[in-house]
Each structure stands twice: as structure tokens, then as C-alpha cells.
């Protein structure tokens, strides 16, 4: 039941992530950098601190006690992830929800899986195991699904007029969007590394009385501060370059309405990792599959939103079948990768079980034998 509850929490987080960009569509009269910064202040600063204080006793004491190296690594990965989050919004802007999410998060799943063994010099070992080969098969399917999505995007670009493209996605640009999505997918995987690097901080949170369900909320304060750094500096630079500081005081635009929808988008965005962190604590020995589940649910819900919002309106039947096939390929790849990780967890579980049996009292072993 705990694992099932963990999957449900990951599904809620995936729904939040797949839906967060929708409120931004209600913002009027502001440049992209302006509404991205306002929403980001909520998602990367306000929400992590407020919900962190609500769920982690002595939050700031926990962070003060954490080793400096842990904090530095978590912050570093947050800055790197922030570059992915920054361009993630641009990918949605140029490709739309369904295509942008499929390409970006598919690549995120790939690099989130491949980079750790490369970092630990374990890639050759990965190739030599059934689980490793299954994981690499899943990554291959993921890349194939991304390519199919790209083909569908090119088919859409060729068959629709400029007016039809802008009717569904105002700034649709396949070439620019794919380049941005590739970069975003690579860098977004750094969130997974930041959460891994901060497990010592999570343990300190539990020692201070935090419910283990919320222990990752202490890590999120630091990793998202790193994300705020990279995103905030870039948005301020664009405000200066494009002379868009006036957006925040422009009375001809609905300022209060814009702030509300930006804050709603930012809060929704943060909730993906709030629920991801809770789901991660419930999976136990299946924790390895958390990132895979997260990606799969986000792609699924964002694809449904893309269809609901008619982002592919006007595309012919062949194009629709192609993009559906590509998205299904990306989702299937996450299942294959998760199964590969499951195969890899079985030897460790068997060793633990064997060690337990060897240390158990003889009477216990005989009783178990009798049951069997």
C-alpha cells in the first residue's frame, strides 16, 4: 500500500508539472521574462520556504547544521537545473505543451538515467548486466520516440499555414523549439542529482522531528534557491536588454490579474516536487523508479492538455497519428527503464534476504522451512 500511495503522489506531482504552464496563458501585456520571473519568485523562493517551514521543524536550524559541502553541491545542481528550467519555459513557448513536454522530458529521463553511472565510472558495468541492457533499450526507445515527435512537428509545420500555426501556438517555431528543448532536457536532469546530493540534509530534517514523508522539503529550499539564481539573473538581464522593467508598473496591463496567474503558475509548478518528494519517500526499495514515474506522468498529462487545447488543430490525420506514436514511445521508454531498474534491484534484495536468513535463529529458519 505504501508503494501504491507513492505512485499516486507521483501522479499528482506529474499532473501539477504537466499543468503549471496553463495559467501563464492568461497573462496579458507582459514580456516572457517578466511573467517568468514573477512566477519563479513564488515557485523557487516563497513556496519552498513557506511549505518547508510548515512541514520541517526548525527548518533553518537543519540547514545551518548541514555540511557545507552538501549545501554547495545541492545549490550547484540547482543552478544547473535552473538553466534547464529557464529554457523549459521557452520550449513550451515555441513547441506547445504536448510536443515540448515530450521532447524535453524524454531527454531529461535519458540523461537522468545515463549521467549517474557515467559520473561513477559504472557505465561499462551497466552494459554487462541484463538490467543495464534493459535500461539502455529503454533509452533507445525514448530517443526514437523523440525523433518521431520531431518528425510530427515538421509535418505540422509543412501542412499548416502561418495563421493556422499561430492560432494554436502563438510563437510556434520548430527549429528553435527543438534546440531549446534538447538543452533544457539535458540540464533539467540535474534536479535528480541535487536531490540525491541532499539526502544528508533530509536525514537531519528527520532527526529534528520532520515526518519522513516531508524530509525532502528541506532539500528543495536549497536546490530551488540555485534555480532562482540562474533564472532570476537571466530574466533581469532580459528586462534590462528589452527595456521591459516597465511591465511591473504598466497600468495599461492588468497588473493584479497578471500577478495572480503568475503566482498560481509558480505554486502549481512547485507542487510537482512537493508531491515528488513525498512519493519518493513511500517507494522504499522501488525508489529508483521515482524519476521515471515522474517523467511518465508529466508527459501523459501534458499531452492530454495539449490535445484539449487543440495545439494540433488543423493537422492532418497522419500527423496526429505520428505525434501520438512518438509520445507513446516516450512513455513506453520510461516503463522499460523502470523495469530495467527493477531487474537491477533484485540481486541486492536477494543478498539482503540471504543475509537475514543466515543471521536468524535456527528455530526461525526451521519454522520458515516448515511453512514452505
Amino acid at each position: 500500500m505504501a508503494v501504491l500511495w507513492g505512485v499516486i503522489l507521483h501522479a499528482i506531482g506529474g499532473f501539477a508539472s504537466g499543468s503549471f504552464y496553463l495559467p501563464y496563458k492568461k497573462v496579458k501585456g507582459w514580456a516572457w521574462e517578466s511573467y517568468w520571473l514573477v512566477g519563479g519568485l513564488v515557485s523557487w523562493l516563497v513556496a519552498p520556504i513557506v511549505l518547508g517551514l510548515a512541514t520541517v521543524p526548525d527548518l533553518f536550524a537543519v540547514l545551518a547544521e548541514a555540511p557545507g559541502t552538501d549545501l554547495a553541491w545541492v545549490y550547484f545542481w540547482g543552478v544547473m537545473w535552473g538553466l534547464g528550467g529557464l529554457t523549459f519555459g521557452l520550449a513550451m513557448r515555441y513547441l506547445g505543451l504536448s510536443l515540448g513536454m515530450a521532447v524535453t522530458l524524454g531527454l531529461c529521463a535519458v540523461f537522468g538515467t545515463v549521467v549517474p553511472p557515467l559520473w561513477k565510472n559504472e557505465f561499462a558495468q551497466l552494459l554487462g548486466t541484463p538490467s543495464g541492457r534493459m535500461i539502455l533499450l529503454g533509452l533507445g526507445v525514448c530517443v526514437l520516440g523523440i525523433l518521431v515527435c520531431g518528425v510530427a512537428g515538421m509535418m505540422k509545420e509543412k501542412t499548416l499555414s502561418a495563421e493556422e500555426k499561430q492560432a494554436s501556438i502563438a510563437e510556434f517555431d520548430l527549429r528553435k523549439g527543438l534546440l531549446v528543448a534538447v538543452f533544457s532536457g539535458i540540464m533539467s536532469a540535474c534536479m535528480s542529482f541535487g536531490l540525491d546530493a541532499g539526502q544528508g540534509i533530509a536525514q537531519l530534517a528527520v532527526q529534528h522531528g520532520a515526518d519522513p514523508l516531508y524530509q525532502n522539503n528541506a532539500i528543495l529550499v536549497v536546490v530551488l534557491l540555485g534555480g532562482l539564481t540562474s533564472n532570476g539573473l537571466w530574466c533581469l538581464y532580459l528586462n534590462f536588454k528589452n527595456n521591459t522593467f516597465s511591465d511591473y508598473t504598466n497600468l495599461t496591463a492588468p497588473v493584479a490579474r497578471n500577478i495572480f496567474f503568475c503566482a498560481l503558475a509558480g505554486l502549481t509548478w512547485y507542487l510537482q516536487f512537493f508531491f515528488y518528494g513525498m512519493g519518493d519517500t513511500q517507494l522504499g526499495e522501488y525508489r529508483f523508479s521515482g524519476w521515471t514515474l515522474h517523467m511518465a506522468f508529466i508527459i501523459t498529462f501534458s499531452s492530454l492538455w495539449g490535445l484539449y487545447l487543440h495545439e494540433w488543430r488543423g493537422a492532418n490525420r497522419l500527423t496526429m497519428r505520428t505525434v501520438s506514436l512518438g509520445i507513446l514511445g516516450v512513455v513506453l521508454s520510461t516503463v522499460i527503464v523502470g523495469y530495467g531498474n527493477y531487474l537491477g534491484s533484485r540481486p541486492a534484495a536477494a543478498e539482503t534476504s540471504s543475509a537475514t536468513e543466515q543471521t536468524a535463529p535456527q528455530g526461525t529458519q526451521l519454522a520458515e522451512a516448515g511453512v514452505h
Side-chain angles (χ1 to χ4, degrees), residues 73-153:
W73 274 113
V74 172
Y75 178 79
F76 169 78
W77 289 123
V79 171
M80 295 297 100
W81 166 83
L83 297 176
L86 176 67
T87 48
F88 186 82
L90 291 175
M92 302 306 102
R93 176 179 171 184
Y94 295 133
L95 296 178
L97 278 173
S98 55
L99 182 59
M101 287 278 192
V103 175
T104 305
L105 297 180
L107 287 169
C108 184
V110 169
F111 284 92
T113 305
V114 169
V115 170
L118 286 175
W119 179 265
K120 299 174 183 177
N121 295 319
E122 296 175 352
F123 195 75
Q125 181 181 350
L126 189 69
L127 290 172
T129 62
S131 63
R133 290 190 290 270
M134 183 63 68
I135 289 171
L136 293 178
L137 172 63
L139 298 183
V141 172
C142 185
V143 172
L144 181 61
I146 292 169
L147 291 175
V148 173
C149 287
V151 170

Side-chain angles (χ1 to χ4, degrees), residues 14-372:
F15 177 79
S17 180
S19 309
F20 90 95
Y21 205 76
L22 297 177
Y24 282 133
K25 293 179 176 291
K26 300 290 186 180
V27 176
K28 306 296 182 183
W30 280 8
W32 176 86
E33 57 269 20
S34 300
Y35 68 71
W36 191 253
L37 178 58
V38 173
L41 287 172
V42 175
S43 57
W44 304 316
L45 182 64
V46 177
I49 291 178
V50 170
L51 291 176
L53 288 170
T55 56
V56 179
D58 305 321
L59 173 64
F60 292 116
V62 169
L63 297 178
E65 291 178 21
T69 53
D70 286 3
L71 293 172
W73 274 113
V74 172
Y75 178 79
F76 169 78
W77 289 123
V79 171
M80 295 297 100
W81 166 83
L83 297 176
L86 176 67
T87 48
F88 186 82
L90 291 175
M92 302 306 102
R93 176 179 171 184
Y94 295 133
L95 296 178
L97 278 173
S98 55
L99 182 59
M101 287 278 192
V103 175
T104 305
L105 297 180
L107 287 169
C108 184
V110 169
F111 284 92
T113 305
V114 169
V115 170
L118 286 175
W119 179 265
K120 299 174 183 177
N121 295 319
E122 296 175 352
F123 195 75
Q125 181 181 350
L126 189 69
L127 290 172
T129 62
S131 63
R133 290 190 290 270
M134 183 63 68
I135 289 171
L136 293 178
L137 172 63
L139 298 183
V141 172
C142 185
V143 172
L144 181 61
I146 292 169
L147 291 175
V148 173
C149 287
V151 170
M154 289 186 285
M155 293 169 66
K156 174 185 177 182
E157 192 171 43
K158 290 179 180 179
T159 57
L160 300 184
S161 65
E163 291 77 14
E164 288 174 323
K165 296 172 192 174
Q166 291 180 355
S168 56
I169 304 173
E171 299 179 73
F172 182 79
D173 189 319
L174 180 66
R175 182 175 301 179
K176 186 183 295 185
L178 287 177
L179 288 174
V180 171
V182 169
F183 179 82
S184 176
I186 294 172
M187 300 307 294
S188 293
C190 293
M191 172 60 74
S192 177
F193 312 148
L195 291 174
D196 282 342
Q199 286 306 299
I201 300 173
Q203 293 172 10
L204 280 174
V206 173
Q207 292 173 13
H208 277 257
D211 187 325
L213 186 66
Y214 304 116
Q215 61 185 3
N216 287 331
N217 289 348
I219 309 174
L220 289 175
V221 172
V222 182
V223 73
L224 293 178
L225 183 61
L228 174 63
T229 302
S230 46
N231 279 264
L233 289 175
W234 180 249
C235 288
L236 290 174
Y237 164 74
L238 290 180
N239 278 145
F240 177 79
K241 177 184 175 182
N242 300 329
N243 195 28
T244 51
F245 278 110
S246 59
D247 285 347
Y248 308 116
T249 57
N250 180 13
L251 298 181
T252 62
V255 178
R257 171 190 169 96
N258 285 353
I259 292 175
F260 170 78
F261 281 112
C262 286
L264 180 60
L267 177 61
T268 304
W269 186 95
Y270 171 76
L271 289 177
Q272 68 164 311
F273 286 117
F274 181 79
F275 287 105
Y276 172 85
M278 290 195 293
D280 197 49
T281 64
Q282 297 298 295
L283 294 180
E285 63 180 297
Y286 301 103
R287 182 175 176 267
F288 59 83
S289 63
W291 191 248
T292 302
L293 287 170
H294 190 60
M295 296 296 105
F297 282 124
I298 295 173
I299 293 169
T300 300
F301 285 118
S302 62
S303 299
L304 293 175
W305 276 120
L307 293 174
Y308 176 77
L309 295 172
H310 304 294
E311 290 182 347
W312 294 82
R313 177 186 296 161
N316 58 38
R317 185 172 299 178
L318 179 60
T319 301
M320 291 299 297
R321 288 176 178 173
T322 304
V323 71
S324 298
L325 180 63
I327 292 171
L328 285 174
V330 174
V331 175
L332 175 62
S333 73
T334 63
V335 176
I336 297 173
V337 170
Y339 179 67
N341 281 324
Y342 167 70
L343 292 178
S345 73
R346 288 169 60 186
E351 290 176 7
T352 302
S353 177
S354 176
T356 302
E357 290 178 0
Q358 290 175 7
T359 57
Q362 185 176 6
T364 302
Q365 297 181 28
L366 290 174
E368 292 174 351
V371 171
H372 295 303

